[in-house]
Amino acid sequence: MLDIKLIRKHPDTFKQNFVRRGDAESLEILDALLKHDETWRQLLTEANALRHERSKLTNKVADLKKAGKEYRNLIEQGKQLAKNITLLEDRARTQKQTVDELLINLPNMLHDSVPSGKDDADNMEVKVWGRPPTFNFPPKNHLEIGRDLGIIDEERGAKVSGHGFLYLSDQLVLLDLALQRFALDFMIAKGFRLVEPPFMMRRKPYSGVTALADFEQVMYKVEGEDLYMIATSEHPLAAMYMNEVLLRDDLPLGLVGLSPCFRKEVGSHGKYTKGLFRMHQFNKVEQFVFCHPSDSWRIHEELQANSEALYEKLGLHYKVVNVCTGEIGTLASKRYDINIWMADGVYREVGSNSNCTDYQSRRLNIRFREKEGQSPAGFVHTLNNTALATSRTMVAILEQHQQKDGTVILPKVLNRYMPGVTRLEPQLKSLNVNISYTKSFNIGTSDSSRRNED
RNA sequence: GCCGGGAUGGCAGAGUGGAUAAUGCGCAGGCCUUGAGAGCCUGUGGCCUUCUUGGCCGCAUGGGUUCGAAUCCCAUUCCCGGCGCCA
């Protein structure tokens, strides 16, 4: 949410910024906002004047009553006044709602360095690390590799849960866990606090962290409950300090979140949807920072360096782009994407680093104070950046580190997290083999007290 | 899930239908002092306004009763205690 006072003061600055976005709708909203805001202020002034009248009247009533004098004739006056106040208050409230709705639909102000453009073709490449791997054999995509190794089962995923769900097994699950732990340890060493957030959120805090369209396009709603499955741990992390005032000394506050992410992926037709790349459910380690407004641009670069270091340690070739005005979305003032090389030669997004400045914190009402005992001094800035989304990172590992024999050599940094597994190899026992579960595992113990402990 | 108690400023805590939300602590500024401290004085939430003046709102949130609500009623959220259920 933008600062309405600033908009009143410098409407042209905001207009120019929306023009850069090529956003005709926001320009219309801005005009409507200025008009309705003016009306609201008038109504408020009138309502206040009436309330002042009432306050004087009720004081008179109290005085007369105390003196034991007649006051009944004033009661009728008061009743009429109360009616008029209610009328004006209703109008003012409705008008304020209109203003708020318009305001919340305006996007964040773009940073000067954001390149102009329409779609991802206009994103500005700012860094390349490594180079594409070369193979003396036709490289496979990760789904073929995973299927051949017997560690990805797409068909059963679809059978049980529908398209966009997979069964992962054996070494691939260990790899997923290893990547999570690798990213977490890196972030913890950087001083971030490890947080496992709730995986579901109520609507109110949720509407503070994300664009309203996401409720239709992205989040799964739990039937019969005021709960939504989180699309990323960014959301519960951002909402964590909703309606709170943070102490300057505690800033910057860096959190590293670990959670599964649930996404409907409505409107993903025509996009790359193979295998692990675009799923309804995946695991992600997320960087999140609350900071003093003066620090956010420095920290934005630091978060970027963190992500890059993780991919470099994994030996994965990537490019960084400064996301253009047409692709950046409503929350971020500036955004870097990391795009990673895949076996078909296309670079696809694996992570996204946003400085939301005070846009998110205004919606969530997260402020800071300079010192204990003082009044709040302003809104914090928030930043969020992927550390590692394990699914997409696994795509890159499988495709960039694949071998001619169909195996995959794992990055050395993961060895300590997967003892004895240095490469992904064909599984001896395919999940397709019909084994008798009850015969192979002795679950019929005589200890009945343990029966319910699952 | 049931029963009971509760939610007041940055914090503690009074206020149980009628003026400015008492008082203390913290914080900010000033006086005093060579300096610090103590002491004393003033200020310390949000909104609107001609931004000096003035006015309104604010006692968890949303409704209601009343001329008038922190105070009475209803609903919701959260916290504490007890009971129940449970990995």
PDB file of all heavy atoms in Angstrom, chain A residues 8 41 48 52 79 202 371 373-374 454, chain B residues 26-28 48-49 55-56 67 78 87:
ATOM      1  N   ARG A   8      -1.188  12.720  -1.986  1.00  0.00           N
ATOM      2  CA  ARG A   8      -1.836  14.036  -1.986  1.00  0.00           C
ATOM      3  C   ARG A   8      -0.837  15.133  -2.284  1.00  0.00           C
ATOM      4  O   ARG A   8      -1.131  16.096  -2.980  1.00  0.00           O
ATOM      5  CB  ARG A   8      -2.427  14.316  -0.601  1.00  0.00           C
ATOM      6  CG  ARG A   8      -3.766  13.664  -0.354  1.00  0.00           C
ATOM      7  CD  ARG A   8      -4.238  13.999   1.068  1.00  0.00           C
ATOM      8  NE  ARG A   8      -5.153  13.021   1.573  1.00  0.00           N
ATOM      9  CZ  ARG A   8      -5.213  12.623   2.846  1.00  0.00           C
ATOM     10  NH1 ARG A   8      -4.390  13.131   3.736  1.00  0.00           N
ATOM     11  NH2 ARG A   8      -6.082  11.716   3.230  1.00  0.00           N
ATOM     12  N   ARG A  41     -12.631  13.592   2.856  1.00  0.00           N
ATOM     13  CA  ARG A  41     -12.164  14.575   3.819  1.00  0.00           C
ATOM     14  C   ARG A  41     -13.243  15.593   4.131  1.00  0.00           C
ATOM     15  O   ARG A  41     -13.379  16.043   5.279  1.00  0.00           O
ATOM     16  CB  ARG A  41     -10.889  15.241   3.304  1.00  0.00           C
ATOM     17  CG  ARG A  41      -9.668  14.370   3.544  1.00  0.00           C
ATOM     18  CD  ARG A  41      -8.644  14.482   2.433  1.00  0.00           C
ATOM     19  NE  ARG A  41      -7.937  15.742   2.441  1.00  0.00           N
ATOM     20  CZ  ARG A  41      -7.272  16.210   1.383  1.00  0.00           C
ATOM     21  NH1 ARG A  41      -7.279  15.522   0.251  1.00  0.00           N
ATOM     22  NH2 ARG A  41      -6.639  17.343   1.461  1.00  0.00           N
ATOM     23  N   ASN A  48     -17.394  15.487  11.880  1.00  0.00           N
ATOM     24  CA  ASN A  48     -16.713  15.936  13.094  1.00  0.00           C
ATOM     25  C   ASN A  48     -17.406  17.137  13.713  1.00  0.00           C
ATOM     26  O   ASN A  48     -17.513  17.241  14.929  1.00  0.00           O
ATOM     27  CB  ASN A  48     -15.258  16.266  12.784  1.00  0.00           C
ATOM     28  CG  ASN A  48     -14.411  15.016  12.669  1.00  0.00           C
ATOM     29  OD1 ASN A  48     -14.864  13.923  12.989  1.00  0.00           O
ATOM     30  ND2 ASN A  48     -13.194  15.165  12.192  1.00  0.00           N
ATOM     31  N   HIS A  52     -19.101  17.316  17.364  1.00  0.00           N
ATOM     32  CA  HIS A  52     -18.749  18.383  18.302  1.00  0.00           C
ATOM     33  C   HIS A  52     -20.022  18.959  18.932  1.00  0.00           C
ATOM     34  O   HIS A  52     -20.076  19.183  20.141  1.00  0.00           O
ATOM     35  CB  HIS A  52     -17.959  19.463  17.561  1.00  0.00           C
ATOM     36  CG  HIS A  52     -17.495  20.564  18.454  1.00  0.00           C
ATOM     37  ND1 HIS A  52     -16.842  20.326  19.647  1.00  0.00           N
ATOM     38  CD2 HIS A  52     -17.566  21.915  18.335  1.00  0.00           C
ATOM     39  CE1 HIS A  52     -16.559  21.467  20.226  1.00  0.00           C
ATOM     40  NE2 HIS A  52     -16.980  22.456  19.462  1.00  0.00           N
ATOM     41  N   LYS A  79     -31.603  13.383  20.008  1.00  0.00           N
ATOM     42  CA  LYS A  79     -32.039  12.271  19.165  1.00  0.00           C
ATOM     43  C   LYS A  79     -31.888  12.630  17.684  1.00  0.00           C
ATOM     44  O   LYS A  79     -31.426  11.829  16.880  1.00  0.00           O
ATOM     45  CB  LYS A  79     -33.486  11.903  19.464  1.00  0.00           C
ATOM     46  CG  LYS A  79     -33.618  10.972  20.647  1.00  0.00           C
ATOM     47  CD  LYS A  79     -35.040  10.484  20.819  1.00  0.00           C
ATOM     48  CE  LYS A  79     -35.133   9.589  22.058  1.00  0.00           C
ATOM     49  NZ  LYS A  79     -36.486   9.283  22.451  1.00  0.00           N
ATOM     50  N   ARG A 202      -4.899 -17.286   7.777  1.00  0.00           N
ATOM     51  CA  ARG A 202      -6.209 -16.665   7.647  1.00  0.00           C
ATOM     52  C   ARG A 202      -6.199 -15.619   6.534  1.00  0.00           C
ATOM     53  O   ARG A 202      -5.160 -15.113   6.156  1.00  0.00           O
ATOM     54  CB  ARG A 202      -6.585 -15.960   8.955  1.00  0.00           C
ATOM     55  CG  ARG A 202      -6.813 -16.937  10.057  1.00  0.00           C
ATOM     56  CD  ARG A 202      -7.536 -16.246  11.176  1.00  0.00           C
ATOM     57  NE  ARG A 202      -7.831 -17.214  12.214  1.00  0.00           N
ATOM     58  CZ  ARG A 202      -7.693 -16.977  13.504  1.00  0.00           C
ATOM     59  NH1 ARG A 202      -7.281 -15.798  13.896  1.00  0.00           N
ATOM     60  NH2 ARG A 202      -7.992 -17.898  14.373  1.00  0.00           N
ATOM     61  N   LYS A 371      14.015   3.803  19.587  1.00  0.00           N
ATOM     62  CA  LYS A 371      14.512   3.476  20.917  1.00  0.00           C
ATOM     63  C   LYS A 371      13.344   3.022  21.769  1.00  0.00           C
ATOM     64  O   LYS A 371      12.221   3.485  21.565  1.00  0.00           O
ATOM     65  CB  LYS A 371      15.113   4.745  21.528  1.00  0.00           C
ATOM     66  CG  LYS A 371      16.419   4.564  22.263  1.00  0.00           C
ATOM     67  CD  LYS A 371      16.755   5.897  22.880  1.00  0.00           C
ATOM     68  CE  LYS A 371      18.182   5.994  23.367  1.00  0.00           C
ATOM     69  NZ  LYS A 371      18.434   7.329  23.926  1.00  0.00           N
ATOM     70  N   GLY A 373      10.618   2.986  24.477  1.00  0.00           N
ATOM     71  CA  GLY A 373       9.966   4.109  25.130  1.00  0.00           C
ATOM     72  C   GLY A 373       9.534   5.213  24.188  1.00  0.00           C
ATOM     73  O   GLY A 373       8.765   6.076  24.560  1.00  0.00           O
ATOM     74  N   GLN A 374      10.040   5.180  22.952  1.00  0.00           N
ATOM     75  CA  GLN A 374       9.650   6.203  21.981  1.00  0.00           C
ATOM     76  C   GLN A 374       8.466   5.752  21.146  1.00  0.00           C
ATOM     77  O   GLN A 374       8.136   4.576  21.100  1.00  0.00           O
ATOM     78  CB  GLN A 374      10.823   6.520  21.045  1.00  0.00           C
ATOM     79  CG  GLN A 374      11.945   7.285  21.711  1.00  0.00           C
ATOM     80  CD  GLN A 374      13.013   7.697  20.719  1.00  0.00           C
ATOM     81  OE1 GLN A 374      12.926   7.392  19.534  1.00  0.00           O
ATOM     82  NE2 GLN A 374      14.020   8.383  21.221  1.00  0.00           N
ATOM     83  N   ASP A 454       0.928 -43.144  15.788  1.00  0.00           N
ATOM     84  CA  ASP A 454       1.367 -42.641  14.499  1.00  0.00           C
ATOM     85  C   ASP A 454       0.462 -41.493  14.082  1.00  0.00           C
ATOM     86  O   ASP A 454       0.767 -40.655  13.369  1.00  0.00           O
ATOM     87  CB  ASP A 454       1.388 -43.750  13.449  1.00  0.00           C
ATOM     88  CG  ASP A 454       0.007 -44.398  13.304  1.00  0.00           C
ATOM     89  OD1 ASP A 454      -0.865 -44.124  14.146  1.00  0.00           O
ATOM     90  OD2 ASP A 454      -0.171 -45.163  12.363  1.00  0.00           O
TER      91      ASP A 454
ATOM     92  P     G B  26      12.275   6.187  34.654  1.00  0.00           P
ATOM     93  OP1   G B  26      13.687   5.940  35.023  1.00  0.00           O
ATOM     94  OP2   G B  26      11.717   7.553  34.821  1.00  0.00           O
ATOM     95  O5'   G B  26      12.059   5.742  33.149  1.00  0.00           O
ATOM     96  C5'   G B  26      12.562   4.479  32.691  1.00  0.00           C
ATOM     97  C4'   G B  26      12.074   4.213  31.290  1.00  0.00           C
ATOM     98  O4'   G B  26      10.628   4.262  31.266  1.00  0.00           O
ATOM     99  C3'   G B  26      12.487   5.237  30.245  1.00  0.00           C
ATOM    100  O3'   G B  26      13.803   4.976  29.765  1.00  0.00           O
ATOM    101  C2'   G B  26      11.429   5.037  29.177  1.00  0.00           C
ATOM    102  O2'   G B  26      11.683   3.883  28.408  1.00  0.00           O
ATOM    103  C1'   G B  26      10.187   4.801  30.029  1.00  0.00           C
ATOM    104  N9    G B  26       9.444   6.047  30.281  1.00  0.00           N
ATOM    105  C8    G B  26       9.328   6.711  31.479  1.00  0.00           C
ATOM    106  N7    G B  26       8.585   7.789  31.392  1.00  0.00           N
ATOM    107  C5    G B  26       8.192   7.836  30.056  1.00  0.00           C
ATOM    108  C6    G B  26       7.391   8.777  29.365  1.00  0.00           C
ATOM    109  O6    G B  26       6.833   9.793  29.812  1.00  0.00           O
ATOM    110  N1    G B  26       7.253   8.448  28.031  1.00  0.00           N
ATOM    111  C2    G B  26       7.817   7.352  27.421  1.00  0.00           C
ATOM    112  N2    G B  26       7.575   7.219  26.128  1.00  0.00           N
ATOM    113  N3    G B  26       8.570   6.462  28.053  1.00  0.00           N
ATOM    114  C4    G B  26       8.715   6.766  29.361  1.00  0.00           C
ATOM    115  P     C B  27      14.805   6.185  29.491  1.00  0.00           P
ATOM    116  OP1   C B  27      16.105   5.596  29.091  1.00  0.00           O
ATOM    117  OP2   C B  27      14.727   7.135  30.618  1.00  0.00           O
ATOM    118  O5'   C B  27      14.138   6.870  28.215  1.00  0.00           O
ATOM    119  C5'   C B  27      14.090   6.193  26.964  1.00  0.00           C
ATOM    120  C4'   C B  27      13.226   6.969  26.001  1.00  0.00           C
ATOM    121  O4'   C B  27      11.874   7.065  26.519  1.00  0.00           O
ATOM    122  C3'   C B  27      13.629   8.419  25.790  1.00  0.00           C
ATOM    123  O3'   C B  27      14.708   8.540  24.897  1.00  0.00           O
ATOM    124  C2'   C B  27      12.337   9.023  25.259  1.00  0.00           C
ATOM    125  O2'   C B  27      12.127   8.691  23.903  1.00  0.00           O
ATOM    126  C1'   C B  27      11.298   8.300  26.111  1.00  0.00           C
ATOM    127  N1    C B  27      10.926   9.082  27.316  1.00  0.00           N
ATOM    128  C2    C B  27      10.023  10.150  27.159  1.00  0.00           C
ATOM    129  O2    C B  27       9.571  10.393  26.027  1.00  0.00           O
ATOM    130  N3    C B  27       9.660  10.876  28.247  1.00  0.00           N
ATOM    131  C4    C B  27      10.171  10.576  29.443  1.00  0.00           C
ATOM    132  N4    C B  27       9.777  11.322  30.481  1.00  0.00           N
ATOM    133  C5    C B  27      11.099   9.508  29.625  1.00  0.00           C
ATOM    134  C6    C B  27      11.446   8.791  28.552  1.00  0.00           C
ATOM    135  P     A B  28      15.741   9.734  25.089  1.00  0.00           P
ATOM    136  OP1   A B  28      16.861   9.468  24.155  1.00  0.00           O
ATOM    137  OP2   A B  28      16.007   9.936  26.526  1.00  0.00           O
ATOM    138  O5'   A B  28      14.911  10.990  24.548  1.00  0.00           O
ATOM    139  C5'   A B  28      14.588  11.101  23.166  1.00  0.00           C
ATOM    140  C4'   A B  28      13.792  12.353  22.927  1.00  0.00           C
ATOM    141  O4'   A B  28      12.524  12.260  23.626  1.00  0.00           O
ATOM    142  C3'   A B  28      14.411  13.634  23.463  1.00  0.00           C
ATOM    143  O3'   A B  28      15.411  14.145  22.617  1.00  0.00           O
ATOM    144  C2'   A B  28      13.185  14.540  23.549  1.00  0.00           C
ATOM    145  O2'   A B  28      12.799  15.019  22.280  1.00  0.00           O
ATOM    146  C1'   A B  28      12.126  13.547  24.053  1.00  0.00           C
ATOM    147  N9    A B  28      12.019  13.548  25.516  1.00  0.00           N
ATOM    148  C8    A B  28      12.548  12.653  26.411  1.00  0.00           C
ATOM    149  N7    A B  28      12.263  12.916  27.670  1.00  0.00           N
ATOM    150  C5    A B  28      11.492  14.069  27.596  1.00  0.00           C
ATOM    151  C6    A B  28      10.875  14.856  28.585  1.00  0.00           C
ATOM    152  N6    A B  28      10.938  14.585  29.890  1.00  0.00           N
ATOM    153  N1    A B  28      10.186  15.944  28.172  1.00  0.00           N
ATOM    154  C2    A B  28      10.126  16.219  26.864  1.00  0.00           C
ATOM    155  N3    A B  28      10.660  15.548  25.844  1.00  0.00           N
ATOM    156  C4    A B  28      11.336  14.474  26.275  1.00  0.00           C
ATOM    157  P     C B  48      -5.346  12.683   7.386  1.00  0.00           P
ATOM    158  OP1   C B  48      -5.318  12.304   5.965  1.00  0.00           O
ATOM    159  OP2   C B  48      -4.106  13.125   8.058  1.00  0.00           O
ATOM    160  O5'   C B  48      -6.445  13.801   7.623  1.00  0.00           O
ATOM    161  C5'   C B  48      -7.725  13.680   7.010  1.00  0.00           C
ATOM    162  C4'   C B  48      -8.635  14.758   7.516  1.00  0.00           C
ATOM    163  O4'   C B  48      -8.750  14.675   8.956  1.00  0.00           O
ATOM    164  C3'   C B  48      -8.152  16.185   7.303  1.00  0.00           C
ATOM    165  O3'   C B  48      -8.352  16.622   5.983  1.00  0.00           O
ATOM    166  C2'   C B  48      -9.024  16.937   8.303  1.00  0.00           C
ATOM    167  O2'   C B  48     -10.353  17.071   7.842  1.00  0.00           O
ATOM    168  C1'   C B  48      -9.008  15.968   9.488  1.00  0.00           C
ATOM    169  N1    C B  48      -7.966  16.321  10.470  1.00  0.00           N
ATOM    170  C2    C B  48      -8.212  17.384  11.350  1.00  0.00           C
ATOM    171  O2    C B  48      -9.287  17.993  11.269  1.00  0.00           O
ATOM    172  N3    C B  48      -7.279  17.725  12.270  1.00  0.00           N
ATOM    173  C4    C B  48      -6.123  17.047  12.318  1.00  0.00           C
ATOM    174  N4    C B  48      -5.234  17.425  13.234  1.00  0.00           N
ATOM    175  C5    C B  48      -5.841  15.969  11.435  1.00  0.00           C
ATOM    176  C6    C B  48      -6.781  15.640  10.532  1.00  0.00           C
ATOM    177  P     U B  49      -7.317  17.667   5.383  1.00  0.00           P
ATOM    178  OP1   U B  49      -7.756  17.942   4.005  1.00  0.00           O
ATOM    179  OP2   U B  49      -5.935  17.201   5.623  1.00  0.00           O
ATOM    180  O5'   U B  49      -7.553  18.960   6.266  1.00  0.00           O
ATOM    181  C5'   U B  49      -8.772  19.701   6.154  1.00  0.00           C
ATOM    182  C4'   U B  49      -8.793  20.809   7.160  1.00  0.00           C
ATOM    183  O4'   U B  49      -8.648  20.275   8.498  1.00  0.00           O
ATOM    184  C3'   U B  49      -7.652  21.812   7.053  1.00  0.00           C
ATOM    185  O3'   U B  49      -7.905  22.763   6.036  1.00  0.00           O
ATOM    186  C2'   U B  49      -7.656  22.432   8.444  1.00  0.00           C
ATOM    187  O2'   U B  49      -8.685  23.383   8.604  1.00  0.00           O
ATOM    188  C1'   U B  49      -7.962  21.204   9.320  1.00  0.00           C
ATOM    189  N1    U B  49      -6.733  20.580   9.835  1.00  0.00           N
ATOM    190  C2    U B  49      -6.173  21.127  10.974  1.00  0.00           C
ATOM    191  O2    U B  49      -6.649  22.081  11.559  1.00  0.00           O
ATOM    192  N3    U B  49      -5.028  20.503  11.402  1.00  0.00           N
ATOM    193  C4    U B  49      -4.404  19.424  10.826  1.00  0.00           C
ATOM    194  O4    U B  49      -3.384  18.967  11.330  1.00  0.00           O
ATOM    195  C5    U B  49      -5.039  18.918   9.653  1.00  0.00           C
ATOM    196  C6    U B  49      -6.147  19.501   9.216  1.00  0.00           C
ATOM    197  P     G B  55     -11.533  22.774  20.203  1.00  0.00           P
ATOM    198  OP1   G B  55     -12.588  23.105  21.186  1.00  0.00           O
ATOM    199  OP2   G B  55     -10.197  22.352  20.673  1.00  0.00           O
ATOM    200  O5'   G B  55     -12.074  21.648  19.225  1.00  0.00           O
ATOM    201  C5'   G B  55     -13.301  21.837  18.525  1.00  0.00           C
ATOM    202  C4'   G B  55     -13.433  20.845  17.406  1.00  0.00           C
ATOM    203  O4'   G B  55     -12.312  20.956  16.503  1.00  0.00           O
ATOM    204  C3'   G B  55     -13.392  19.380  17.815  1.00  0.00           C
ATOM    205  O3'   G B  55     -14.603  18.946  18.404  1.00  0.00           O
ATOM    206  C2'   G B  55     -13.108  18.718  16.468  1.00  0.00           C
ATOM    207  O2'   G B  55     -14.251  18.758  15.642  1.00  0.00           O
ATOM    208  C1'   G B  55     -12.055  19.677  15.904  1.00  0.00           C
ATOM    209  N9    G B  55     -10.702  19.235  16.262  1.00  0.00           N
ATOM    210  C8    G B  55      -9.861  19.743  17.217  1.00  0.00           C
ATOM    211  N7    G B  55      -8.722  19.101  17.297  1.00  0.00           N
ATOM    212  C5    G B  55      -8.829  18.094  16.338  1.00  0.00           C
ATOM    213  C6    G B  55      -7.915  17.080  15.956  1.00  0.00           C
ATOM    214  O6    G B  55      -6.784  16.853  16.407  1.00  0.00           O
ATOM    215  N1    G B  55      -8.418  16.277  14.949  1.00  0.00           N
ATOM    216  C2    G B  55      -9.665  16.435  14.379  1.00  0.00           C
ATOM    217  N2    G B  55      -9.983  15.552  13.424  1.00  0.00           N
ATOM    218  N3    G B  55     -10.527  17.381  14.718  1.00  0.00           N
ATOM    219  C4    G B  55     -10.047  18.170  15.695  1.00  0.00           C
ATOM    220  P     C B  56     -14.605  17.766  19.458  1.00  0.00           P
ATOM    221  OP1   C B  56     -15.936  17.719  20.097  1.00  0.00           O
ATOM    222  OP2   C B  56     -13.387  17.871  20.299  1.00  0.00           O
ATOM    223  O5'   C B  56     -14.440  16.492  18.525  1.00  0.00           O
ATOM    224  C5'   C B  56     -15.422  16.189  17.537  1.00  0.00           C
ATOM    225  C4'   C B  56     -14.907  15.118  16.620  1.00  0.00           C
ATOM    226  O4'   C B  56     -13.646  15.543  16.033  1.00  0.00           O
ATOM    227  C3'   C B  56     -14.549  13.793  17.296  1.00  0.00           C
ATOM    228  O3'   C B  56     -15.695  12.997  17.524  1.00  0.00           O
ATOM    229  C2'   C B  56     -13.608  13.183  16.269  1.00  0.00           C
ATOM    230  O2'   C B  56     -14.310  12.677  15.152  1.00  0.00           O
ATOM    231  C1'   C B  56     -12.808  14.406  15.830  1.00  0.00           C
ATOM    232  N1    C B  56     -11.573  14.578  16.625  1.00  0.00           N
ATOM    233  C2    C B  56     -10.476  13.763  16.331  1.00  0.00           C
ATOM    234  O2    C B  56     -10.590  12.926  15.431  1.00  0.00           O
ATOM    235  N3    C B  56      -9.332  13.897  17.040  1.00  0.00           N
ATOM    236  C4    C B  56      -9.254  14.806  18.006  1.00  0.00           C
ATOM    237  N4    C B  56      -8.106  14.912  18.673  1.00  0.00           N
ATOM    238  C5    C B  56     -10.355  15.658  18.350  1.00  0.00           C
ATOM    239  C6    C B  56     -11.478  15.509  17.636  1.00  0.00           C
ATOM    240  P     C B  67     -32.268   8.279  23.719  1.00  0.00           P
ATOM    241  OP1   C B  67     -33.421   8.961  24.350  1.00  0.00           O
ATOM    242  OP2   C B  67     -32.428   7.527  22.458  1.00  0.00           O
ATOM    243  O5'   C B  67     -31.088   9.323  23.519  1.00  0.00           O
ATOM    244  C5'   C B  67     -31.164  10.276  22.470  1.00  0.00           C
ATOM    245  C4'   C B  67     -30.090  11.316  22.669  1.00  0.00           C
ATOM    246  O4'   C B  67     -30.410  12.123  23.816  1.00  0.00           O
ATOM    247  C3'   C B  67     -28.708  10.759  22.988  1.00  0.00           C
ATOM    248  O3'   C B  67     -28.016  10.377  21.820  1.00  0.00           O
ATOM    249  C2'   C B  67     -28.056  11.940  23.692  1.00  0.00           C
ATOM    250  O2'   C B  67     -27.640  12.931  22.775  1.00  0.00           O
ATOM    251  C1'   C B  67     -29.224  12.480  24.508  1.00  0.00           C
ATOM    252  N1    C B  67     -29.278  11.907  25.864  1.00  0.00           N
ATOM    253  C2    C B  67     -28.337  12.319  26.830  1.00  0.00           C
ATOM    254  O2    C B  67     -27.477  13.140  26.503  1.00  0.00           O
ATOM    255  N3    C B  67     -28.379  11.805  28.067  1.00  0.00           N
ATOM    256  C4    C B  67     -29.325  10.908  28.381  1.00  0.00           C
ATOM    257  N4    C B  67     -29.329  10.422  29.619  1.00  0.00           N
ATOM    258  C5    C B  67     -30.293  10.476  27.435  1.00  0.00           C
ATOM    259  C6    C B  67     -30.241  10.991  26.191  1.00  0.00           C
ATOM    260  P     C B  78      -8.190 -17.280  17.735  1.00  0.00           P
ATOM    261  OP1   C B  78      -7.340 -18.133  16.879  1.00  0.00           O
ATOM    262  OP2   C B  78      -9.337 -17.869  18.452  1.00  0.00           O
ATOM    263  O5'   C B  78      -7.266 -16.551  18.804  1.00  0.00           O
ATOM    264  C5'   C B  78      -6.038 -15.943  18.406  1.00  0.00           C
ATOM    265  C4'   C B  78      -5.555 -15.027  19.489  1.00  0.00           C
ATOM    266  O4'   C B  78      -6.592 -14.063  19.809  1.00  0.00           O
ATOM    267  C3'   C B  78      -5.254 -15.679  20.832  1.00  0.00           C
ATOM    268  O3'   C B  78      -3.984 -16.302  20.863  1.00  0.00           O
ATOM    269  C2'   C B  78      -5.340 -14.484  21.771  1.00  0.00           C
ATOM    270  O2'   C B  78      -4.187 -13.676  21.668  1.00  0.00           O
ATOM    271  C1'   C B  78      -6.527 -13.726  21.180  1.00  0.00           C
ATOM    272  N1    C B  78      -7.803 -14.092  21.840  1.00  0.00           N
ATOM    273  C2    C B  78      -8.107 -13.486  23.069  1.00  0.00           C
ATOM    274  O2    C B  78      -7.303 -12.684  23.560  1.00  0.00           O
ATOM    275  N3    C B  78      -9.268 -13.798  23.695  1.00  0.00           N
ATOM    276  C4    C B  78     -10.102 -14.682  23.128  1.00  0.00           C
ATOM    277  N4    C B  78     -11.234 -14.953  23.784  1.00  0.00           N
ATOM    278  C5    C B  78      -9.819 -15.306  21.891  1.00  0.00           C
ATOM    279  C6    C B  78      -8.666 -14.985  21.278  1.00  0.00           C
ATOM    280  P     A B  87      -3.719 -40.155  19.639  1.00  0.00           P
ATOM    281  OP1   A B  87      -4.027 -41.439  19.016  1.00  0.00           O
ATOM    282  OP2   A B  87      -3.425 -40.034  21.076  1.00  0.00           O
ATOM    283  O5'   A B  87      -2.543 -39.488  18.814  1.00  0.00           O
ATOM    284  C5'   A B  87      -2.628 -39.397  17.399  1.00  0.00           C
ATOM    285  C4'   A B  87      -1.348 -38.837  16.841  1.00  0.00           C
ATOM    286  O4'   A B  87      -1.296 -37.415  17.097  1.00  0.00           O
ATOM    287  C3'   A B  87      -0.089 -39.460  17.412  1.00  0.00           C
ATOM    288  O3'   A B  87       0.768 -39.906  16.368  1.00  0.00           O
ATOM    289  C2'   A B  87       0.573 -38.312  18.178  1.00  0.00           C
ATOM    290  O2'   A B  87       1.953 -38.333  18.092  1.00  0.00           O
ATOM    291  C1'   A B  87       0.028 -37.090  17.474  1.00  0.00           C
ATOM    292  N9    A B  87       0.009 -35.877  18.291  1.00  0.00           N
ATOM    293  C8    A B  87      -0.332 -35.734  19.607  1.00  0.00           C
ATOM    294  N7    A B  87      -0.189 -34.502  20.058  1.00  0.00           N
ATOM    295  C5    A B  87       0.277 -33.797  18.944  1.00  0.00           C
ATOM    296  C6    A B  87       0.635 -32.451  18.762  1.00  0.00           C
ATOM    297  N6    A B  87       0.556 -31.537  19.702  1.00  0.00           N
ATOM    298  N1    A B  87       1.066 -32.073  17.532  1.00  0.00           N
ATOM    299  C2    A B  87       1.153 -33.000  16.569  1.00  0.00           C
ATOM    300  N3    A B  87       0.846 -34.302  16.622  1.00  0.00           N
ATOM    301  C4    A B  87       0.412 -34.634  17.857  1.00  0.00           C
TER     302        A B  87
END
